[in-house]
Amino acid sequence: MKHNPATYVPIIDSSNLPKAAPRLPASSARPDEPWYRYLTIDLIWYVLGYTLFHPWTSWVLVLCLRAQLTPYDAVEMKIVSAWALLMSAMGIFGIVSEKIAYGSPREVDLAEEVIVITGGVEGLGALLAETYGMRNANVAVLDTKKVGEDEAEEKGVVYYECDVSDVKQVEAAVAEIVENLGPPTILINNAGIVHSKSILESTAEEIEQTFRTNTLSHWTTLRTILPHMLRESRGTIVTVSSVLGSWGAANLSAYCASKAALLAMHQSLRAELAQNPDAADIKTILVTPGQMSTQMFADVKTPSNFLAPMLAPVDVAKEILRLIERGESGEVAVPLYSRYISVLGVLPIGVQALVRRWSGVDKAMTTSKKVTSEKK
């Protein structure tokens, strides 16, 4: 007797199958914390941004008062109308300001892009690489850490063992990328190391290594990859700096200085691209995150969970992905304080000293046991 394969369903005796206890994902295996630990100034600002400070919501209040037949000359109607006009004006000003600063977005089709990520084996870089790998984009990672062929194939990422602080290694790796995948059109400069030592304890070799990896590697990758973008007349360059580049911290002098140099380099890059007619569709993104829960600062306790919450790499990655895929230039500054950290520099020096003391930024590294460098 023949069975129709379209209708035949085999019967399995489930009584003989082994029983397995349900297991939750590892991400849920974290200690319970009181509710207020999840309350941060960023959460409050996010909620206000979509309610009280949102133009559409502001006009809804006006409509609600009119639905109650509130006269136009009533005090409450004047207040909510003025507030709605102010929020609308601020929203329009923000749109116009970004248009003037960054211009029109470029078209991005991931199938036609070649993405190069430095330091993409762990941390933020790994999250970006694996996200694009799952979406079948052309992703190449430059890192000193090795990744097996099976793991690379599973993630959909091509890994090149490369020390980005070495000019010849970068040039050789990029030449392979061009041959295998095509000209790079998206560059995410993410590689970084840290030596958590004081100035007196740091050796000349450690300081040089920090600057070669955190700073000089950006020049190397730009000088190697930017010509391909200019020939393609399109591209996106992501510079991953740090909020500490604007503020500094004790026992992190080399790291902070190397990240501060990237802020000036990014501005110079934008100025040079603006003068090049072939760079009209080359976008730039500056990333200045606060403390992330990566291996680099894994054992450092944030001074204030309310004002300066610890960031998960996904919090930063989603903002980078949003700008890249919209084809826009911009800045990714999270958490909230990192957007306004530069304002502290214009305050009186005594106020700056008090802010540093209250923030605990100069004591944060005293809790760290790191004495050696780690990749992100």
Side-chain angles (χ1 to χ4, degrees), residues 105-140:
R106 75 179 184 93
E107 294 185 5
V108 176
D109 183 354
L110 290 182
E112 299 179 357
E113 305 285 340
V114 176
I115 306 167
V116 177
I117 304 175
T118 65
V121 173
E122 295 179 352
L124 174 63
L127 182 57
L128 292 169
E130 292 171 21
T131 299
Y132 279 128
M134 289 187 295
R135 299 172 64 180
N136 295 322
N138 300 307
V139 188

Side-chain angles (χ1 to χ4, degrees), residues 97-111:
S97 176
E98 290 190 359
K99 182 73 172 181
I100 294 173
Y102 302 130
S104 301
R106 75 179 184 93
E107 294 185 5
V108 176
D109 183 354
L110 290 182

Side-chain angles (χ1 to χ4, degrees), residues 9 11 50 86 112 157 173 178 224 276 322 325 351:
V9 178
I11 299 175
Y50 279 93
L86 176 61
E112 299 179 357
V157 178
V178 173
T224 307
N276 192 329
R322 178 180 62 85
E325 293 174 24
V351 176

Side-chain angles (χ1 to χ4, degrees), residues 8 11 13 28 32 89 97 105 117 130 133 165 169 181 196 198 208 219 234 257 274 276 292-293 295 298 308 355 361:
Y8 175 66
I11 299 175
D13 185 4
S28 66
D32 293 332
S97 176
I117 304 175
E130 292 171 21
S165 66
Q169 290 190 38
L181 301 177
S196 56
S198 67
E208 181 180 356
W219 267 276
R234 61 191 174 95
N276 192 329
M292 288 190 291
S293 55
Q295 290 294 324
V355 172
V361 64

Side-chain angles (χ1 to χ4, degrees), residues 169-187:
Q169 290 190 38
V170 172
E171 291 177 347
V174 171
E176 286 189 50
I177 293 172
V178 173
E179 182 179 354
N180 298 333
L181 301 177
T185 55
I186 297 176
L187 170 61

Side-chain angles (χ1 to χ4, degrees), residues 262-292:
L262 296 180
L263 302 180
M265 188 213 71
H266 176 79
Q267 296 301 330
S268 297
L269 172 65
R270 281 180 44 78
E272 293 180 10
L273 292 177
Q275 297 175 355
N276 192 329
D278 295 330
D281 274 343
I282 296 181
K283 303 302 177 180
T284 58
I285 301 172
L286 177 64
V287 186
T288 55
Q291 182 181 344
M292 288 190 291

Side-chain angles (χ1 to χ4, degrees), residues 79-360:
I79 292 175
V80 296
S81 297
W83 181 258
L85 288 171
L86 176 61
M87 292 298 101
S88 299
M90 292 180 62
I92 295 172
F93 176 81
I95 294 173
V96 174
S97 176
E98 290 190 359
K99 182 73 172 181
I100 294 173
Y102 302 130
S104 301
R106 75 179 184 93
E107 294 185 5
V108 176
D109 183 354
L110 290 182
E112 299 179 357
E113 305 285 340
V114 176
I115 306 167
V116 177
I117 304 175
T118 65
V121 173
E122 295 179 352
L124 174 63
L127 182 57
L128 292 169
E130 292 171 21
T131 299
Y132 279 128
M134 289 187 295
R135 299 172 64 180
N136 295 322
N138 300 307
V139 188
V141 166
L142 307 183
D143 204 302
T144 55
K145 295 182 175 65
K146 294 183 179 180
V147 176
E149 293 184 4
D150 293 340
E151 181 180 353
E153 185 177 355
E154 180 181 355
K155 294 179 178 179
V157 178
V158 182
Y159 292 89
Y160 295 84
E161 188 178 350
C162 172
D163 183 353
V164 292
S165 66
D166 188 304
V167 176
K168 292 183 178 180
Q169 290 190 38
V170 172
E171 291 177 347
V174 171
E176 286 189 50
I177 293 172
V178 173
E179 182 179 354
N180 298 333
L181 301 177
T185 55
I186 297 176
L187 170 61
I188 303 177
N189 272 320
N190 167 77
I193 61 173
V194 61
H195 292 279
S196 56
K197 294 183 179 181
S198 67
I199 294 175
L200 294 178
E201 293 173 338
S202 301
T203 65
E205 291 77 12
E206 290 171 340
I207 295 173
E208 181 180 356
Q209 183 190 29
T210 299
F211 274 88
R212 286 177 63 86
T213 303
N214 294 4
T215 308
L216 298 181
S217 66
H218 286 246
W219 267 276
T220 300
T221 54
L222 281 173
R223 293 176 69 249
T224 307
I225 293 177
L226 185 54
H228 295 286
M229 294 184 180
L230 291 172
R231 282 192 289 270
E232 294 290 318
S233 298
R234 61 191 174 95
T236 299
I237 300 169
V238 181
T239 301
V240 180
S241 181
S242 170
V243 68
L244 292 177
S246 299
W247 195 232
N251 300 311
L252 282 172
S253 58
Y255 178 81
C256 295
S258 66
K259 292 297 187 178
L262 296 180
L263 302 180
M265 188 213 71
H266 176 79
Q267 296 301 330
S268 297
L269 172 65
R270 281 180 44 78
E272 293 180 10
L273 292 177
Q275 297 175 355
N276 192 329
D278 295 330
D281 274 343
I282 296 181
K283 303 302 177 180
T284 58
I285 301 172
L286 177 64
V287 186
T288 55
Q291 182 181 344
M292 288 190 291
S293 55
T294 60
Q295 290 294 324
M296 182 173 283
F297 295 105
D299 60 346
V300 179
K301 184 178 180 181
T302 178
S304 172
N305 187 70
F306 179 76
L307 296 176
M310 177 87 71
L311 292 171
V314 68
D315 296 327
V316 183
K318 67 181 182 181
E319 295 298 323
I320 297 174
L321 295 172
R322 178 180 62 85
L323 286 176
I324 289 177
E325 293 174 24
R326 286 185 177 181
E328 298 177 351
S329 294
E331 296 187 7
V332 176
V334 286
L336 182 63
Y337 76 89
S338 64
R339 301 184 197 176
Y340 308 103
I341 196 73
S342 59
V343 177
L344 296 176
V346 303
L347 297 177
I349 193 66
V351 176
Q352 293 185 40
L354 290 176
V355 172
R356 294 191 72 94
R357 190 179 308 167
W358 292 335
S359 69

